[in-house]
């Protein structure tokens, strides 16, 4: 049932759509949870910190075990790993649909669902590699990549709409229905047997879990303003360094390894993974800054904010889908370079718009440009990175590729949020101390409040908070907020801008890398 090299047949198209649906569910799942926090807290009688801990745990489990999950796919079969991953997500979705306590959410959604993600991500990419060839493979990689990006962009809108007008339980129930539909097409998937060693690298598995888990936990702690961020990041980095040393040593001894170090000697693989990471950093940075602008500066609700971001998601999807139909007509390095340049142009065009925009329509043209750039990227990067990899090593390669993308998205969200709050705090403190209206005592109160807990607020929220202050002091603080807030958002947009510039520079290296025929 492998699709022909020239084009997708009817069976291949159906399988491609099912794989794209699986990726959509995987990415949209966390978005549903993020926008449902308050409703989940109210219905389950729990706390916000408890639900946020469950969300952090799910991200941690999936990241910590993603490299191990790619090896499990080799040992038990990639199609079986794909099914087990989907079943893990089905258990999590069912738990959220019928949960009566936070314990069920933590155990079934966060832990079981996180383990499902660690199996599903590398297995899906391996199955695309094993079930399609040539142009068809490029098309399916583009479609699956587009599904992931569209889910990241429209997930908050979809979740906000269903949660607001129906129920968060309905959202997860619909997710369960989609998983059942995807599982109904499992017979279309052709498994590719693994012919390598079946010896288990236990030390490598432990080091990879500690390394990826430490890095992601450090990023999550940074994002939430927690302590010990440096220690967690250092533990993660040291564990990954230890993993690299262990893999090289074990490989020289001719023993089975969790990940073949030889993968990183291939220029295409190294560049492809780094480009995947930069693309996700850019997407994460944009997805933290833009919704904040729409909801706190323009004071849009979740529905209006999602509609304002539609030009980004729709153009991304349309371009990725269009490029999948024209796969192979242009060199990958040229498409990726164009994609990063369009991303840079779109984000750069947003910078002067942010302080002046009176509605979401002002963002539409720059978002379309940036979305076209992201669409070009998702249409190319998975195929560029994985197509030359042999069947024996494709699960390992897919695991590394997925880990890079997942970490890049988390890092982009955390870095964008941290830069936003740091810029807000510095600008607000400087303006408050230079104010002729605020008394020295008020200036010190502002400085202390920002040092203890800097938070971005809408004008309405701030006016409510200042209700007991003198009218002159309250008006001055509101004025400072309205001046400093757009500047902080502009600074936060430098995160996706910098990632795009680095990606464009990296694309020039792609042109020099050898482009061997698929193995």
């Amino acid at each position: 049932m492998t699709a022909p090299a020239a084009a997708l047949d009817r069976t291949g198209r159906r399988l491609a759509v099912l794989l794209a649906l699986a990726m959509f569910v995987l990415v949209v799942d966390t978005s549903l949870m993020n926008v449902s926090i308050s409703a989940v807290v109210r219905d389950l009688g729990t706390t916000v910190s408890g639900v946020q801990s469950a969300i952090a745990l799910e991200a941690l489990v999936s990241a910590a075990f993603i490299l191990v999950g790619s090896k499990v796919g080799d040992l038990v079969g990639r199609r079986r790993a794909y099914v087990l991953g989907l079943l893990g997500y089905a258990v999590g979705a069912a738990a959220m649909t019928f949960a009566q306590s936070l314990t069920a959410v933590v155990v079934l959604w966060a832990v079981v669902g996180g383990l499902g993600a660690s199996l599903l991500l590398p297995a899906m990419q391996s199955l695309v590699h094993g079930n399609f060839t040539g142009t068809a493979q490029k098309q399916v990689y583009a479609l699956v990549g587009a599904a992931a990006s569209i889910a990241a962009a429209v997930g908050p809108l979809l979740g906000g709409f269903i949660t607001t007008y129906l129920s968060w339980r309905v959202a997860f129930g619909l997710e369960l229905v989609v998983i059942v539909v995807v599982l109904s097409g499992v017979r279309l998937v052709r498994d590719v047997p693994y012919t390598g060693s079946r010896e288990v690298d236990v030390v490598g598995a432990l080091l990879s879990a500690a390394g990826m888990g430490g890095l992601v936990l450090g990023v999550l702690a940074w994002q939430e303003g927690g302590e010990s961020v440096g220690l967690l990041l250092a533990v993660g980095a040291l564990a990954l360094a230890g993993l690299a040393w262990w893999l090289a040593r074990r490989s020289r001894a001719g023993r089975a390894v969790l990940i073949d170090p030889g993968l990183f000697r291939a220029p295409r693989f190294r560049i492809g993974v780094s480009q995947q990471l930069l693309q996700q950093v850019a997407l994460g940075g944009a997805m933290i800054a833009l919704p904040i602008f729409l909801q706190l500066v323009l004071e849009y609700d979740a529905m209006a904010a999602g509609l304002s971001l539609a030009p980004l998601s729709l153009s991304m999807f349309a371009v990725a889908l269009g490029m999948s139909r024209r796969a192979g007509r242009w060199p990958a390095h040229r498409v990726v370079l164009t994609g990063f340049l369009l991303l840079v142009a779109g984000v750069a065009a947003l910078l002067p718009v942010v302080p002046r925009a009176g509605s979401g329509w002002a963002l539409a043209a720059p978002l379309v440009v940036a979305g076209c750039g992201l669409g070009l990227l998702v249409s190319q990067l998975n195929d560029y990175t994985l197509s030359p990899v042999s069947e024996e090593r494709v699960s390992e390669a897919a695991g590394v590729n997925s880990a890079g993308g997942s970490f890049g998205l988390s890092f982009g969200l955390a870095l964008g949020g941290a830069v936003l709050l740091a810029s807000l705090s510095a600008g607000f403190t400087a303006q408050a101390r230079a104010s002729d209206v605020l008394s020295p005592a008020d200036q010190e109160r502002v400085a202390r409040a920002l040092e203890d807990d800097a938070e971005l607020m809408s004008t309405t929220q701030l006016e409510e908070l200042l209700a007991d202050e003198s009218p002159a002091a309250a008006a001055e603080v509101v004025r400072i907020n309205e001046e400093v807030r757009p500047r902080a958002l502009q600074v936060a947009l430098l995160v996706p801008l910098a990632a795009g510039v680095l990606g464009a520079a990296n694309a020039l290296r792609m042109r020099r890398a050898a482009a061997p025929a698929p193995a």
Side-chain angles (χ1 to χ4, degrees), residues 58-82:
E58 194 272 346
L60 181 65
V61 169
S62 61
F65 292 99
I66 196 164
L67 297 179
V68 178
S70 66
K71 192 64 177 179
V72 170
D74 286 340
L75 298 178
V76 305
R78 289 148 189 177
R79 188 169 83 163
R80 188 172 296 168
Y82 171 72

Side-chain angles (χ1 to χ4, degrees), residues 247-396:
L247 294 177
R249 177 176 177 270
R250 194 171 169 90
S251 181
R252 285 195 300 270
R255 303 286 300 280
V257 290
L258 179 70
I259 303 168
D260 181 11
L263 286 171
F264 297 95
R265 289 194 288 270
R268 275 175 63 114
F269 182 75
R270 288 199 312 271
I271 296 172
V273 170
S274 64
Q275 294 290 67
Q276 183 83 261
L277 186 145
L278 289 170
Q279 177 219 328
Q280 293 297 327
V281 169
L283 183 62
M287 285 299 103
I288 192 72
L290 293 173
I292 284 176
F293 171 77
L294 293 164
Q295 294 185 57
L296 295 185
V297 176
L298 300 184
E299 302 199 31
Y300 283 2
D301 59 21
M303 190 71 186
L307 288 173
S308 298
L309 291 174
L312 177 74
S313 55
L314 293 178
S315 59
M316 185 193 312
F317 185 71
V319 170
L321 195 62
M323 284 301 298
S324 74
R325 294 172 178 168
R326 294 167 176 78
R329 295 190 184 183
W330 297 283
H333 71 267
R334 190 175 299 168
V335 177
V336 171
L337 176 60
T338 304
F340 274 115
L341 290 176
L342 286 175
L343 173 62
V344 168
V347 175
L350 285 171
L351 294 176
V353 170
V354 165
R356 300 174 179 83
S359 73
W361 286 109
L363 309 181
L367 289 180
V368 167
V369 174
C372 289
L374 288 168
L376 291 175
L377 296 177
V378 301
S379 74
Q380 299 293 314
L381 289 178
N382 281 329
D383 179 70
Y384 177 88
T385 306
L386 299 179
S387 61
V389 179
S390 67
E391 289 293 348
E392 184 179 332
R393 295 300 182 196
V394 70
S395 283
E396 301 167 21

Side-chain angles (χ1 to χ4, degrees), residues 215-235:
L215 287 181
V216 171
L217 188 58
V219 167
L220 289 171
W222 184 18
Q223 189 173 350
E224 298 299 326
E227 298 178 354
S228 304
V229 173
L231 177 62
L232 291 169
L233 292 175
V235 168

Side-chain angles (χ1 to χ4, degrees), residues 9-49:
D9 61 6
R10 183 177 177 182
T11 301
R13 284 195 296 272
R14 185 180 172 194
L15 176 57
V17 169
L18 291 174
L19 289 169
L21 278 175
M23 179 60 82
F24 184 89
V25 165
L26 192 152
V27 176
V28 85
D29 181 75
T30 302
S31 294
L32 293 179
M33 193 63 165
N34 282 330
V35 299
S36 305
I37 289 177
S38 59
V40 173
V41 168
R42 183 177 61 251
D43 289 358
L44 299 186
T46 184
T47 62
V48 172
S49 62

